[in-house]
Amino acid sequence: MKEVELKFQVPPAARKAVESAVAGPQAARRVRLRAAYFDTPTGALAAAGLALRVRKEGRAWMQTLKGTLPDGTSMTRAEHNVSRAETGATVPEIDPHLHADTPVGAALLKVLQDADGALVQVIGTDIWRRARAVRVTGGVVELAFDVGVIEAVAAVPLRHLPVCELEIELKRGSPQLVVTTAQRWVERHGLWLDTRSKAELGHLLSRDDAMAEARRAGEVKLAKAMTPAAALDAVLRSCLAQISVNASQIASGRHAPEHTHQLRVGLRRLRTALRFFDGARLADAIDTAAREQLAVDAATLFRQLGQARDRAAVAEPLAIELARALAAVGQSGEPPRLPASGDEVDPTVLVRQSTAQRLMLNLISRVQGADPARGSVVQLAATGPDAVVPEPSLPLRQRLAKRLNRWHRQVLVDAQAFDTVDDEGRHRLRKRIKRLRYAAEFSASLFDERTVRGYLKALRALQEQLGTVNDVAVGIALYSAAAPADARALFALGWLASQRERALAVCKPDLKRFIRSVRFWRERPKKSADK
């Protein structure tokens, strides 16, 4: 069976209101759920996206195996439950063979066959749950308010993590019912989406990890028989996975600059996807409006997070280099202080707010409701100066090739004028290169792998060098504000100007390589693309 649910963290200020609303007028009863999660000593099940537990529900024990599904939503998981005969307080011995006749069970046995070490309990949970089934138009969802603790039982000393969250699970009807229900609860109580399961949080706790690694972009697999709408859905799933995982970690309050960076990469990929497939819209006006809302929210969140990124990822490394430069000329190694900015907002606050939550829920709604076979007669429509109108019968590969060719020409024109443009013009070139790179990565599976690899290598190298140029330009803008009040800032500006000239010179070879690069979409498609 498939479990369809979304989980949200509940802020302390909303705890009483959420519990009261879940209880409802009939005061739904609370039940205690004690569970033991098992894995190998090296965490082989967690690494494979599997969670194996036994949980006491009332007097009986239930053994459950869950596994992730490749839908990109973190909303749907494979689940198989087996009732155990034991009724006592002692945790029964785990038996992985009870799931053997299911696909997720077969995956479990394969992991155990290849893993080192036997299954041991690594996590324990002790949860008080108040749950109520709610009838909604078109079906039934269950609201479950959980309060309790996760324990890393194998850790020395024992470590705990408090739990206060709301789960919304589908019981009958379309998965969209979970999303629409969640949207109401998020707006009403200020909840925020958390893609991390109790098992994932427990494994982090058992390893004494403060946070999960930042999620990088995953590979997108398209088939040439896809319609533009189906291809867009595949790309959006990849974007959602990167956005939601990094946003969940940031929202927890414990995150690194790389999580913010990868969240911004996911947002830029999303904005690129919406623009790249612009014209592959469905006839449904609501769908069009939803996509426009996605674009607006993604742009807003991207811009807000960028202000925090400039300080953490640009100003701080530059300050270290400036301190060395000052020391080299016999000055104090202390770099000039940057003026405070009233526009900066903590990324955790930003991700918990309505714009980010609406963005993720709307994106989940889009990809969860997608039908891979839909849109067989979708026609591309012009929607701006960047739009292309190919013939309705043109195959996906050729449609995307037209888009790629147009974007490539734009970059080519800017690249050839590189010596004559200012910082703003070079920044525009870098943005266009990023956009072209993401579009090429989205389309890569439809074309010859070797030619794609060569093109992307040249594009990424140029993007990296232009990134250095842009970081120096950001530093110049930041220190310009400090220059009138700090003589060292004047030194910083002079030093940064020399760094900019050096960075510009380093760009020249990569610019030439890109200008000479082979456009992979002009090559024959690889045979495996015809799926």
Side-chain angles (χ1 to χ4, degrees), residues 176-193:
Q176 293 287 349
L177 299 179
V178 174
V179 179
T180 54
T181 301
Q183 288 169 331
R184 292 194 296 270
W185 282 77
V186 166
E187 291 177 7
R188 188 177 305 156
H189 299 289
L191 314 181
W192 58 86
L193 180 69

Side-chain angles (χ1 to χ4, degrees), residues 31 53 87-88 90 119 122 147 161 233 242 254 259 268 296 336 352 365 379 385 432 460 478 490 512 522:
V31 295
R53 78 177 185 215
T87 57
T90 304
L119 288 170
V122 291
V147 177
L161 182 69
D233 289 331
Q242 186 177 18
R254 307 182 75 179
H259 291 97
R268 190 184 286 278
V296 170
R352 290 181 181 182
S365 178
Q379 297 185 15
R432 285 181 169 176
R460 289 167 181 158
L478 291 171
L490 293 174
K512 292 179 180 178
R522 293 183 172 181

Side-chain angles (χ1 to χ4, degrees), residues 126-381:
D126 191 354
I127 303 294
W128 281 97
R129 168 170 291 182
R130 191 183 294 277
R132 176 168 63 98
V134 178
R135 292 183 180 275
V136 294
T137 303
V140 176
V141 298
E142 182 184 72
L143 305 173
F145 178 68
D146 289 350
V147 177
V149 65
I150 300 172
E151 299 176 334
V153 298
V156 179
L158 185 70
R159 291 188 286 269
H160 301 80
L161 182 69
V163 172
C164 185
E165 58 193 32
L166 176 71
E167 293 182 358
I168 304 175
E169 182 177 357
L170 181 69
K171 291 302 181 181
R172 188 176 71 248
S174 165
Q176 293 287 349
L177 299 179
V178 174
V179 179
T180 54
T181 301
Q183 288 169 331
R184 292 194 296 270
W185 282 77
V186 166
E187 291 177 7
R188 188 177 305 156
H189 299 289
L191 314 181
W192 58 86
L193 180 69
D194 194 347
T195 63
R196 305 168 302 166
S197 66
K198 292 183 179 69
E200 291 175 78
L201 292 171
H203 280 291
L204 287 173
L205 189 66
S206 66
R207 298 195 302 267
D208 199 20
D209 286 343
M211 62 197 79
E213 292 184 1
R215 174 68 65 90
R216 303 180 70 86
E219 185 179 8
V220 175
K221 289 288 189 181
L222 302 182
K224 74 174 187 178
M226 283 180 171
T227 63
L232 173 59
D233 289 331
V235 173
L236 293 183
R237 286 187 178 92
S238 174
C239 297
L240 173 60
Q242 186 177 18
I243 290 169
S244 61
V245 170
N246 289 301
S248 293
Q249 187 62 64
I250 294 170
S252 74
R254 307 182 75 179
H255 60 93
E258 183 64 12
H259 291 97
T260 303
H261 172 64
Q262 291 300 329
L263 174 54
R264 292 185 80 240
V265 171
L267 291 168
R268 190 184 286 278
R269 292 175 71 233
L270 171 60
R271 296 172 66 194
T272 298
L274 294 173
R275 189 169 183 180
F276 186 55
F277 287 90
D278 192 21
R281 298 173 182 246
L282 303 180
D284 188 346
I286 297 178
D287 184 80
T288 299
R291 288 179 60 193
E292 290 175 349
Q293 185 67 61
L294 281 175
V296 170
D297 287 343
T300 300
L301 183 58
F302 182 86
R303 183 176 60 255
Q304 293 171 332
L305 289 168
Q307 295 166 351
R309 183 262 178 192
D310 285 348
R311 293 271 171 162
V314 178
E316 292 176 11
L318 283 178
I320 295 173
E321 293 299 320
L322 270 171
R324 293 172 181 165
L326 284 164
V329 295
Q331 300 296 318
S332 168
E334 182 71 21
R337 292 191 177 187
L338 293 172
S341 170
D343 297 331
E344 291 180 33
V345 181
D346 184 350
T348 294
V349 174
L350 289 174
V351 170
R352 290 181 181 182
Q353 288 177 347
S354 60
T355 297
Q357 296 303 309
R358 181 175 61 231
L359 168 71
M360 288 186 285
L361 288 176
N362 284 343
L363 194 49
I364 289 171
S365 178
R366 163 73 194 219
V367 302
Q368 185 66 41
D371 178 0
R374 72 182 180 177
S376 59
V377 294
V378 170
Q379 297 185 15
L380 296 181

Side-chain angles (χ1 to χ4, degrees), residues 390-501:
E391 298 83 357
S393 60
L394 205 60
L396 175 66
R397 179 179 176 275
Q398 294 182 39
R399 291 185 176 190
L400 299 190
K402 284 178 174 286
R403 303 290 280 171
L404 287 166
N405 204 51
R406 184 180 183 89
W407 284 10
H408 176 93
R409 290 199 305 268
Q410 290 176 343
V411 171
L412 201 60
V413 169
D414 285 351
Q416 291 169 334
F418 186 75
D419 289 333
T420 63
V421 297
D422 56 11
D423 283 341
E424 184 178 349
R426 288 187 281 266
H427 182 51
R428 182 182 66 246
L429 170 60
R430 179 170 176 258
K431 290 193 294 184
R432 285 181 169 176
I433 285 173
K434 282 186 177 182
R435 186 182 70 176
L436 178 59
R437 171 195 163 185
Y438 297 142
E441 289 172 344
F442 297 155
S443 311
S445 58
L446 299 176
F447 298 91
D448 177 72
E449 182 179 353
R450 182 181 60 83
T451 314
V452 171
R453 188 166 56 246
Y455 182 84
L456 285 173
K457 182 179 180 180
L459 203 57
R460 289 167 181 158
L462 182 54
Q463 177 186 327
E464 183 176 349
Q465 294 302 334
L466 285 171
T468 301
V469 173
N470 183 71
D471 287 350
V472 173
V474 169
I476 290 174
L478 291 171
Y479 281 107
S480 292
D486 191 338
R488 289 171 301 171
L490 293 174
F491 174 88
L493 289 174
W495 178 82
L496 287 168
S498 68
Q499 294 299 306
R500 175 170 57 187
E501 294 306 311

